[in-house]
Amino acid sequence: MRQRLHLMRKSVILIQSVHRMHMQRMAYQTMRRAAAAIQQRYRAVLQRRMVQSQYTDLKKAACTIQAAWRGRSLRKQIGRMNMAAAVIQAQYRMFKQRCYFTKLRNITVAVQQRYRASLERNRQMQQYRDMRRAAVRIQSSFRAMKQRREFKAKCNAARVLQGAIKTLIERRQFLTLRKATIVVQKRYKSKKLGDHHRQEFIKLRKAAVVLQSAYKGFRERRKLQEMQCAATTIQAAFRMHKTRVKYQTLQCACVTIQRYYRSYRSAVHEREAYVNLRQSVIKLQAAYRGAKVRRAIADMNRAASKIQSAYRMYLCKCNYRKMQWAAHVMQQRYRAKKIRDFEVLRYSFMKDAAVCLQSSYRGWQVRKGLKAQEKAATIIQRQFRNVY
């Protein structure tokens, strides 16, 4: 029995030693893992600090390079903008000068055309007046000769029939002359049909005069042949009446011609005064328009300068806002990174502290269990010894 108790005691001691050895090994392995973890964390912290310092230096160098590059890009962009603005201003000034030169050339061409047209019109009018005076003289000479021939030829005609027929003929001639004069005045006052129509009118008038003279000569000759057998007594009675009617007719024609000639002279004077006044007005308008255009160009140049300055200020402000926003974003990210690193470091310390506390608590629990087991084993051994 004692041998059995001795074997049980050896067994208990062996079990206790094995259990203690296992617990010591477990505690040693735990301490070793904790030390390895602490060393790893400490090396990681050192490595992170070194990497962070390298990153800070690289970031400062990158910021310096970026600032230098952005300054160079901004200066280059401002230089390109200045060159573009200078080119735009030069093109705009060239365009304004070209427009002003085109306007001035068109105005000069129009003035030259008007002046040449006026000279041509005056020349044509002078030619027309000369031809008209020549035609009037020829007609008056021809009519005087015709009247003399008619007067000589009609000496033996019947005075009653000759007076009636002559009165009808003179009335028709007066109406024809009046209509022709009205047509000439209308065509002369209108002045819209041009030289071609005036030439056609002169040709038509000459042809009509020739036809009228031919027809009247034929008719008079036929009538004279019919009147050769009329009584001479009737012609003598009405000779004085015919002369008086002819004188009155010529007097009315002269008065009418004088009135139209005076109106024509007054129209010519008014036309010359109007042309002079119009040329003066054109010169004043040209001077005023030139001053107005120069003032408008000066205003446009000032407006362009203001627009360019405002646009440059806007571009500088936009670039400044972009740089301010980029700096703000970089500051936010840098601060967030610093806060994150601080939180990671704090978490690592808290985690290490928690691991230490957990390991200490677990070691305390293990030691407490071992002490309880040792105390129980001691109580069992003492009771066993007391029993046996």
Side-chain angles (χ1 to χ4, degrees):
M1 192 69 179
R2 187 174 295 175
Q3 188 178 0
R4 185 177 178 183
L5 289 174
H6 183 68
L7 290 173
M8 288 177 67
R9 184 180 180 184
K10 284 184 179 180
S11 300
V12 170
I13 292 169
L14 181 61
I15 291 168
Q16 287 179 353
S17 64
V18 171
H19 182 266
R20 289 173 183 172
M21 182 181 65
H22 175 70
M23 293 301 294
Q24 291 295 326
R25 187 180 291 113
M26 290 296 292
Y28 172 74
Q29 290 178 356
T30 303
M31 291 294 290
R32 184 179 179 183
R33 283 197 298 272
I38 291 169
Q39 290 176 355
Q40 187 177 2
R41 293 296 176 86
Y42 181 73
R43 291 170 184 171
V45 169
L46 292 177
Q47 186 70 23
R48 188 189 63 199
R49 288 179 181 176
M50 183 178 66
V51 171
Q52 187 175 1
S53 63
Q54 292 179 357
Y55 171 76
T56 304
D57 296 333
L58 288 172
K59 184 180 179 182
K60 288 181 181 180
C63 290
T64 304
I65 294 170
Q66 287 177 355
W69 173 255
R70 287 172 182 170
R72 180 176 177 275
S73 299
L74 183 61
R75 287 190 296 274
K76 187 183 293 184
Q77 186 178 1
I78 291 171
R80 287 198 298 268
M81 289 173 65
N82 290 328
M83 291 177 64
V87 172
I88 291 169
Q89 288 178 353
Q91 292 293 327
Y92 180 75
R93 289 170 183 167
M94 183 177 67
F95 173 74
K96 293 300 291 182
Q97 290 295 327
R98 188 182 294 116
C99 291
Y100 176 73
F101 174 73
T102 304
K103 277 186 183 177
L104 186 61
R105 186 179 63 184
N106 293 331
I107 292 169
T108 306
V109 170
V111 170
Q112 289 177 354
Q113 288 179 355
R114 294 288 180 86
Y115 181 72
R116 290 170 184 170
S118 178
L119 291 177
E120 185 66 22
R121 186 181 67 248
N122 293 330
R123 189 177 64 81
Q124 293 292 333
M125 289 297 297
Q126 187 65 32
Q127 186 178 1
Y128 170 73
R129 285 194 291 268
D130 296 335
M131 293 179 68
R132 187 171 181 273
R133 283 195 294 269
V136 169
R137 289 178 182 176
I138 292 169
Q139 287 178 0
S140 62
S141 300
F142 181 78
R143 286 173 183 171
M145 182 181 68
K146 185 179 71 174
Q147 291 295 330
R148 286 193 298 272
R149 287 180 181 178
E150 288 177 357
F151 180 77
K152 291 178 181 180
K154 293 176 182 178
C155 289
N156 297 322
R159 299 183 72 86
V160 178
L161 295 175
Q162 186 180 11
I165 292 170
K166 285 289 184 175
T167 304
L168 180 62
I169 290 170
E170 292 294 332
R171 186 181 294 112
R172 288 182 179 179
Q173 287 179 357
F174 175 74
L175 293 174
T176 304
L177 180 61
R178 185 181 177 185
K179 290 180 181 179
T181 306
I182 291 171
V183 171
V184 171
Q185 287 176 353
K186 287 182 179 179
R187 293 193 179 184
Y188 174 72
K189 289 178 181 179
S190 64
K191 292 183 182 179
K192 294 181 180 179
L193 298 179
D195 298 333
H196 181 67
H197 288 178
R198 284 198 293 272
Q199 294 294 332
E200 289 182 354
F201 170 72
I202 292 169
K203 291 180 182 179
L204 182 62
R205 191 166 180 270
K206 288 181 179 180
V209 170
V210 173
L211 290 174
Q212 286 177 0
S213 63
Y215 177 70
K216 288 176 182 178
F218 173 74
R219 188 176 61 182
E220 291 300 327
R221 284 193 298 274
R222 189 177 62 184
K223 288 180 180 180
L224 288 174
Q225 289 175 3
E226 293 177 356
M227 292 179 186
Q228 285 179 358
C229 297
T232 306
T233 306
I234 297 171
Q235 183 180 9
F238 288 95
R239 185 176 296 172
M240 183 176 63
H241 176 71
K242 182 192 69 174
T243 305
R244 186 170 57 251
V245 171
K246 182 178 179 181
Y247 173 73
Q248 291 176 356
T249 305
L250 288 173
Q251 187 178 6
C252 293
C254 290
V255 171
T256 303
I257 291 170
Q258 287 177 358
R259 186 172 61 250
Y260 284 123
Y261 180 70
R262 288 169 184 169
S263 64
Y264 168 72
R265 289 294 300 274
S266 63
V268 169
H269 289 301
E270 290 179 358
R271 175 67 180 174
E272 290 178 355
Y274 169 72
V275 169
N276 295 327
L277 181 61
R278 187 170 180 273
Q279 289 178 357
S280 301
V281 171
I282 288 171
K283 289 180 180 178
L284 290 174
Q285 287 178 353
Y288 174 72
R289 287 171 182 168
K292 187 177 180 181
V293 169
R294 287 191 294 272
R295 188 166 58 250
I297 290 171
D299 294 336
M300 291 178 72
N301 288 328
R302 286 196 295 271
S305 299
K306 290 182 180 179
I307 291 169
Q308 288 175 357
S309 63
Y311 181 69
R312 290 170 184 169
M313 183 177 68
Y314 171 73
L315 289 177
C316 293
K317 192 180 293 182
C318 290
N319 293 326
Y320 173 73
R321 287 180 178 175
K322 287 181 180 179
M323 293 176 67
Q324 187 179 10
W325 176 77
H328 182 66
V329 171
M330 291 176 67
Q331 288 176 357
Q332 285 183 349
R333 292 185 178 179
Y334 180 70
R335 290 169 184 170
K337 183 178 179 302
K338 287 182 70 176
I339 293 171
R340 186 192 63 192
D341 294 338
F342 177 73
E343 292 294 332
V344 169
L345 184 62
R346 182 181 176 186
Y347 172 74
S348 299
F349 285 127
M350 293 292 290
K351 185 178 180 182
D352 294 336
V355 169
C356 291
L357 290 173
Q358 288 176 357
S359 62
S360 299
Y361 179 72
R362 289 171 182 170
W364 177 75
Q365 281 186 346
V366 170
R367 285 192 298 274
K368 186 177 179 181
L370 289 174
K371 287 181 179 179
Q373 289 179 5
E374 186 177 358
K375 187 176 180 180
T378 304
I379 291 171
I380 291 169
Q381 290 175 1
R382 188 172 58 250
Q383 292 292 333
F384 184 78
R385 289 173 183 172
N386 290 329
V387 172
Y388 294 100

